Amino acid sequence: MTTTTKEARTDHYPSRKAETPSIIDRKDPVVYASGKEIPSPLTEDSVAEYERKGFVVIQDLFAESEIEMFRRELARLAVDPKMLERPEAITEPESSVLRSLFAFHLIGAGLTHLATDPRLVRIAQYLLNDDIYIHQSRLNLKQGFRGQGFYWHSDFETWHVEDGMPRMRALSMSIALTDNTAYNGSLMLIPKSHKQYISCVGETPGDNYKKSLKNQYIGVPDNDSLSTLYSGGGIRVPVGPAGSVTIFDCNTMHGSANNISPLPRSNAFVVFNAMSNRVEDPFCAQPPRPEFIASRETIRQLG
Amino acid sequence: MTTTTKEARTDHYPSRKAETPSIIDRKDPVVYASGKEIPSPLTEDSVAEYERKGFVVIQDLFAESEIEMFRRELARLAVDPKMLERPEAITEPESSVLRSLFAFHLIGAGLTHLATDPRLVRIAQYLLNDDIYIHQSRLNLKQGFRGQGFYWHSDFETWHVEDGMPRMRALSMSIALTDNTAYNGSLMLIPKSHKQYISCVGETPGDNYKKSLKNQYIGVPDNDSLSTLYSGGGIRVPVGPAGSVTIFDCNTMHGSANNISPLPRSNAFVVFNAMSNRVEDPFCAQPPRPEFIASRETIRQLG
């Protein structure tokens, strides 16, 4: 816990407080680096695209052989009864099939190396222009046939309200462990949505994460606001082979459809946050979510 | 009802009878026309593609102005309280939002013209090489945000078992009333799947259609069989502007994911059956489904 008291704080991105939804302009930079401090690990075009759209895809950042290793590890974990009993393991809404596994960066060996790979860390350090740590990591399996989707959401909305992340100075990397196609429930993003924050309605209930990680009902953007974002940027579905990495800003609106294809759509998802942006008390009336969902006490600076 | 008795009939495509699923080779032609009887309304390449893959897409068969007229009609029907009360109106599994409207070819005016448009009728007559009638028609709305998908299925499996359609001599046309994109739950098809019939497990319960039209659980292909079909043909997601028509064989495996985009994915779906292939008694122990789902008494020959 920090020493900040709830009373003294300004909430720059209020949500789940008003009775009607609203759209708030972003108050923070997207790219923090001015380009002078440290050499960029990304091309100038990629940085510009990330700034403009709120995401950029780097093809083949990982080699097929590396991905194959992670995939084997994932297959092993997905059927490990001990792993499935842990709170970090989230199953599908209608079955006991593993849907997500949180805090994989703490499992050790290959998976820890994946989450803290210098190629990823350098990009996050550059874009956030700060020392960084892992706020959250999860393996999303989205199995074939009956894998459920994720409805539209801004990660920051939840991290701000439920975890107490003060500002937009975090980003996510989604490492494709399987091919992303037009038919297996791939990530969908709304370009330019990161510059507007949708303030949602509905009070946060206790233990909300236990439900929201299966099916999100609170912190869900309203239809009119989504239509406004869609009018501004449309929808992009990056497709490509396993090994590509989608880097997206913490406030970029994203979601995915269900996956009825026989092909799983698995990815490893890592959230890097600036050390200067460490979480405080939540911006809602509930206690903080568990450590495996949001690093609070066990912060390890990277790089 | 026909005079055929259940005892005397051979079931060429048994399903929902055995305890394990199986794959049966198709026993019927795909393209019935030899090319000599009547001039083809399709190019030779399109006919060959339809024969080989089990479907073909004809871009811009309808003009934007025609589609706009149908779309207006659809928007009117979707909120018409009288229409929503009719058994032909199927709502979303978790809301009262209209999901499908059956037998739209009987509504009259523009919608009847759409379903019986000579451009469609001539293609069906050619491929089936017979006089034809409409076995079923439906408007599928798949609204934005929360529109649910349809799991994998062969239409013929249901029409055979629940409606008593004897052979594979029927085809469907899906007329896109909105743009089909990679992100709004577009139709997905498994190329070449039409040449294999998946015999499913599970007995057909009474009034199955009342549930299956919302969420299908009976007549659902098993994972192994789907994987076999997928290995043989992959998955295709035709995308394109409103006005295009996807013509697909009655046994082509198809389905769709849910639609979380703000853009609806609406289509008008018309099934043409050969007069020589009129439905008989169902191939299951249940009474026939209602007339608005499967034309039995009110057959009107087209063209």
Side-chain angles (χ1 to χ4, degrees):
Chain A
M1 292 287 174
T2 67
T3 53
T4 317
T5 63
K6 278 186 188 179
E7 292 67 26
R9 285 194 304 177
T10 304
D11 185 348
H12 294 281
Y13 297 105
S15 186
R16 312 186 199 178
K17 288 180 173 173
E19 283 183 13
T20 51
S22 61
I23 298 183
I24 299 171
D25 281 342
R26 182 186 184 107
K27 297 182 170 72
D28 298 304
V30 178
V31 175
Y32 281 80
S34 71
K36 288 174 191 158
E37 300 86 350
I38 40 177
S40 174
L42 295 172
T43 66
E44 210 172 301
D45 283 354
S46 291
V47 174
E49 190 176 341
Y50 175 82
E51 207 290 332
R52 194 173 68 251
K53 292 186 184 165
F55 64 93
V56 65
V57 182
I58 312 295
Q59 301 287 352
D60 306 322
L61 199 141
F62 288 92
E64 179 58 33
S65 57
E66 294 177 281
I67 293 299
E68 184 51 39
M69 194 179 64
F70 300 132
R71 212 154 36 198
R72 271 201 305 271
E73 183 67 3
L74 185 63
R76 198 185 60 71
L77 292 172
V79 294
D80 178 346
K82 273 190 203 141
M83 193 54 72
L84 290 171
E85 275 172 16
R86 291 169 66 161
E88 290 91 331
I90 313 294
T91 54
E92 288 285 346
E94 295 183 11
S95 74
S96 59
V97 172
L98 189 62
R99 171 176 163 89
S100 299
L101 183 66
F102 276 83
F104 77 83
H105 69 288
L106 300 178
I107 288 176
L111 288 173
T112 297
H113 283 123
L114 171 62
T116 58
D117 189 284
R119 288 166 287 188
L120 305 182
V121 168
R122 275 199 293 269
I123 293 171
Q125 284 171 328
Y126 179 80
L127 292 173
L128 302 175
N129 197 22
D130 198 350
D131 291 326
I132 60 168
Y133 71 98
I134 293 178
H135 169 68
Q136 181 190 95
S137 76
R138 65 202 276 187
L139 295 167
N140 290 317
L141 281 82
K142 197 179 272 196
Q143 307 280 12
F145 304 112
R146 299 282 183 183
Q148 291 297 299
F150 293 84
Y151 195 66
W152 296 112
H153 61 286
S154 148
D155 288 327
F156 179 76
E157 197 273 346
T158 297
W159 300 340
H160 179 69
V161 175
E162 299 191 27
D163 299 337
M165 185 182 284
R167 307 297 293 240
M168 294 181 185
R169 195 170 185 170
L171 56 81
S172 300
M173 300 206 191
S174 173
I175 303 137
L177 300 182
T178 56
D179 293 350
N180 286 310
T181 71
Y183 56 74
N184 67 341
S186 294
L187 180 69
M188 309 196 292
L189 307 111
I190 301 186
K192 304 183 198 171
S193 58
H194 62 310
K195 300 210 172 167
Q196 294 182 295
Y197 176 77
I198 299 188
S199 180
C200 307
V201 297
E203 212 174 313
T204 312
D207 279 349
N208 182 43
Y209 74 93
K210 289 185 183 169
K211 288 183 213 104
S212 72
L213 299 178
K214 287 175 185 259
N215 256 326
Q216 195 168 359
Y217 292 108
I218 302 293
V220 169
D222 62 295
N223 291 1
D224 285 350
S225 298
L226 281 174
S227 296
T228 300
L229 296 185
Y230 176 69
S231 303
I235 292 174
R236 272 282 313 281
V237 188
V239 297
S244 65
V245 177
T246 303
I247 305 165
F248 57 106
D249 177 78
C250 58
N251 189 45
T252 302
M253 189 62 67
H254 62 287
S256 63
N258 57 342
N259 176 22
I260 66 169
S261 89
L263 193 70
R265 198 265 356 208
S266 307
N267 62 42
F269 176 78
V270 189
V271 182
F272 298 103
N273 190 23
M275 285 295 278
S276 61
N277 195 40
R278 286 179 60 164
V279 300
E280 303 173 354
D281 289 333
F283 284 90
C284 65
Q286 299 296 335
R289 301 195 294 176
E291 191 73 22
F292 69 83
I293 298 181
S295 308
R296 181 173 297 273
E297 310 296 339
T298 57
I299 304 284
R300 189 171 82 79
Q301 187 180 315
L302 300 170
Chain B
M1 293 289 173
T2 68
T3 54
T4 317
T5 63
K6 280 186 190 181
E7 291 68 26
R9 284 192 306 176
T10 305
D11 185 348
H12 295 281
Y13 297 105
S15 185
R16 312 187 200 178
K17 288 180 173 173
E19 281 182 16
T20 51
S22 61
I23 298 184
I24 299 172
D25 282 342
R26 182 187 183 108
K27 298 181 169 73
D28 298 304
V30 178
V31 174
Y32 281 79
S34 70
K36 288 175 189 158
E37 300 86 349
I38 40 175
S40 174
L42 294 172
T43 66
E44 211 172 299
D45 283 353
S46 290
V47 174
E49 188 175 342
Y50 176 81
E51 206 292 330
R52 193 173 68 251
K53 292 187 186 166
F55 65 92
V56 65
V57 182
I58 313 295
Q59 301 287 350
D60 306 323
L61 200 140
F62 288 92
E64 179 57 32
S65 57
E66 293 177 282
I67 294 298
E68 184 51 39
M69 194 178 64
F70 300 131
R71 210 153 40 199
R72 271 201 305 271
E73 183 67 3
L74 184 64
R76 199 184 60 72
L77 291 172
V79 295
D80 178 345
K82 273 190 202 140
M83 192 56 71
L84 290 171
E85 276 172 15
R86 290 169 67 162
E88 291 92 328
I90 313 294
T91 54
E92 289 284 347
E94 294 183 11
S95 74
S96 59
V97 171
L98 188 63
R99 171 176 163 91
S100 299
L101 183 67
F102 276 83
F104 77 82
H105 69 289
L106 300 177
I107 288 175
L111 288 173
T112 298
H113 282 123
L114 170 63
T116 59
D117 188 284
R119 287 166 287 188
L120 306 182
V121 168
R122 275 198 292 269
I123 293 172
Q125 283 171 328
Y126 179 79
L127 293 172
L128 301 176
N129 197 21
D130 197 351
D131 291 325
I132 59 167
Y133 71 98
I134 293 177
H135 169 68
Q136 181 190 96
S137 76
R138 64 202 278 187
L139 296 167
N140 290 317
L141 281 82
K142 198 179 270 197
Q143 306 280 12
F145 304 111
R146 298 282 183 182
Q148 290 298 299
F150 292 86
Y151 195 67
W152 296 112
H153 62 287
S154 147
D155 288 328
F156 179 77
E157 197 273 346
T158 297
W159 300 339
H160 179 70
V161 175
E162 298 193 26
D163 299 337
M165 185 183 283
R167 308 298 293 240
M168 294 182 185
R169 195 171 186 170
L171 56 80
S172 300
M173 301 207 191
S174 174
I175 303 136
L177 300 182
T178 55
D179 292 350
N180 286 310
T181 71
Y183 57 74
N184 66 340
S186 293
L187 180 69
M188 309 195 293
L189 307 111
I190 300 186
K192 305 183 198 170
S193 59
H194 61 311
K195 300 209 173 166
Q196 294 182 295
Y197 176 76
I198 299 188
S199 182
C200 306
V201 296
E203 212 173 315
T204 313
D207 280 349
N208 182 42
Y209 74 93
K210 288 185 184 168
K211 288 183 215 104
S212 72
L213 299 178
K214 287 175 185 259
N215 256 327
Q216 195 167 358
Y217 292 107
I218 302 294
V220 170
D222 62 294
N223 291 1
D224 286 350
S225 298
L226 281 174
S227 295
T228 300
L229 296 184
Y230 176 70
S231 302
I235 292 174
R236 272 282 312 281
V237 188
V239 297
S244 65
V245 177
T246 303
I247 305 166
F248 58 106
D249 177 78
C250 59
N251 189 45
T252 302
M253 190 61 69
H254 63 287
S256 62
N258 57 342
N259 176 23
I260 65 169
S261 87
L263 193 70
R265 199 268 351 212
S266 307
N267 63 42
F269 178 79
V270 189
V271 183
F272 298 102
N273 190 22
M275 285 296 276
S276 61
N277 194 40
R278 285 178 60 164
V279 299
E280 303 171 354
D281 289 331
F283 285 89
C284 66
Q286 298 297 333
R289 300 195 295 175
E291 191 73 22
F292 69 83
I293 297 181
S295 307
R296 182 173 294 274
E297 310 295 338
T298 56
I299 304 284
R300 188 171 83 77
Q301 187 181 313
L302 299 171

